Amino acid sequence: MAQRLCILTVHAHPDDESSKGPGTIARYAAEGVRTVLVCCTGGEAGEILNPAADTEEARTDLPAVRERELDAAVAVIGYHALYKLGYRDSGMPGTEANAHPDSFARADLDEATGRLVRIVRAERPQVLVIYPSTDGRGHPDHIRVHEVGALAFERAGDPTWYPDAGAPWEPAKLYYTGVFSPGRMRVQHDWMLAQGEESPWNERVRELMDQPDRTTARVDVGDYLDVGRAALRAHATQVPTTGPWFRVPVEVMRELYPWEDYELARSRVDVPIDEIEDDLFAGLRAPVAPG
């Protein structure tokens, strides 16, 4: 029997899964691929960024509200499984949240990696998706996702690591999501200027447009762009519906840039891979029988 295809994505906070690759997951879920989300923190250090969601409950118990928002977004995207790694949101450097002993950034690296390895071995994904070493903002939890995820990719298949965490399983490919994509940012920026609007990406475009494009894979999610926006809206406390994510209409983005971008960080696939992949499972799918 052919091994089922599975993709496992690791995200830092509730809402990250809806801003980084939701269309990819929705597409693969629709194709029958098993889709798994690991959320490392509860988003306790988040702020209420949407005045319409500034309720008494949100002010007094934001973690519970964000947990419900996460569950709703997961259902919208179509993830088959959600695991919560159990750490506290680390906030930004210098904040009280960052000094909390239960924060993800202060977790023992081997212990945190072991938690993720247990999930990887249980789910047996061929593709593991994490963040690059920096997200441009230096968020400690995003950096920690990179550290823990990269170690889990190496250790999950090694029986000498975490022998009580299940049978070893070696993912075949490791990707980064949230990589800088000048193409995507540029088309949104230019479209807004063409409409006579002020672009919210003015500063970022000026800062980043000269940086190299690290994209090595583009997944066509044109049919699932609306899923990503619906998932973002599920995080009502974090995502104002007037925010820049919603300014360019879906039908326009479908024409201008219908892709989600990734960087291939590691591959154990013993076949040539195109310079720009259009499938994160490239080299892993069973060949189609002729006729």
Side-chain angles (χ1 to χ4, degrees):
M1 179 180 295
Q3 173 70 36
R4 68 171 185 184
L5 294 181
C6 178
I7 182 171
L8 188 152
T9 67
V10 186
H11 287 286
H13 314 102
D15 76 49
D16 287 326
E17 83 296 326
S18 297
S19 62
K20 302 172 185 66
T24 300
I25 297 302
R27 171 181 163 174
Y28 283 141
E31 293 176 357
V33 174
R34 180 163 176 81
T35 55
V36 180
L37 167 64
V38 176
C39 186
C40 296
T41 80
E44 294 86 351
E47 300 176 358
I48 302 173
L49 302 176
N50 182 3
D54 190 2
T55 65
E56 180 66 24
E57 181 185 16
R59 289 191 296 272
T60 58
D61 197 1
L62 184 60
V65 173
R66 295 200 71 185
E67 184 173 25
R68 290 199 298 273
E69 291 175 344
L70 174 62
D71 291 341
V74 162
V76 168
I77 295 168
Y79 274 105
H80 293 104
L82 165 63
Y83 293 86
K84 298 169 184 176
L85 214 58
Y87 292 101
R88 197 177 191 282
D89 188 335
S90 305
M92 294 300 286
T95 65
E96 183 178 344
N98 194 244
H100 198 287
D102 296 331
S103 69
F104 189 34
R106 290 182 175 267
D108 179 84
L109 187 58
D110 288 341
E111 193 273 340
T113 302
R115 293 190 191 187
L116 181 55
V117 164
R118 183 177 295 276
I119 298 167
V120 170
R121 289 177 178 174
E123 291 290 349
R124 302 169 72 84
Q126 292 87 2
V127 173
L128 183 64
V129 181
I130 63 171
Y131 303 153
S133 57
T134 176
D135 64 352
R137 296 174 56 223
H139 197 300
D141 288 331
H142 287 231
I143 295 170
R144 203 58 158 172
V145 164
H146 171 80
E147 295 168 342
V148 169
L151 283 176
F153 182 81
E154 298 299 330
R155 295 178 179 179
D158 185 343
T160 65
W161 281 102
Y162 318 108
D164 298 327
W169 173 258
E170 192 171 70
K173 299 171 84 175
L174 177 70
Y175 285 94
Y176 297 152
T177 186
V179 298
F180 170 60
S181 171
R184 184 179 187 85
M185 186 177 292
R186 172 61 76 183
V187 299
Q188 295 178 92
H189 173 77
D190 289 349
W191 184 86
M192 288 190 179
L193 295 183
Q195 309 313 303
E197 299 183 28
E198 182 179 352
S199 168
W201 290 284
N202 274 326
E203 285 294 324
R204 292 291 283 170
V205 166
R206 281 197 294 270
E207 290 174 7
L208 300 175
M209 282 308 299
D210 291 334
Q211 292 190 13
D213 187 351
R214 291 163 35 197
T215 301
T216 64
R218 289 192 177 98
V219 179
D220 189 332
V221 298
D223 291 338
Y224 300 95
L225 292 173
D226 54 340
V227 173
R229 298 208 177 174
L232 276 174
R233 289 188 181 98
H235 292 282
T237 61
Q238 306 299 301
V239 184
T241 56
T242 57
W245 307 275
F246 306 110
R247 297 271 296 280
V248 183
V250 166
E251 57 272 19
V252 173
M253 282 305 297
R254 194 173 285 130
E255 291 293 323
L256 295 178
Y257 207 93
W259 304 286
E260 288 175 344
D261 299 330
Y262 298 85
E263 179 184 358
L264 180 63
R266 289 287 311 280
S267 176
R268 298 182 172 112
V269 177
D270 192 23
V271 295
I273 292 177
D274 294 337
E275 184 176 345
I276 297 292
E277 299 174 295
D278 61 5
D279 178 13
L280 303 188
F281 291 93
L284 296 169
R285 295 183 186 270
V288 177

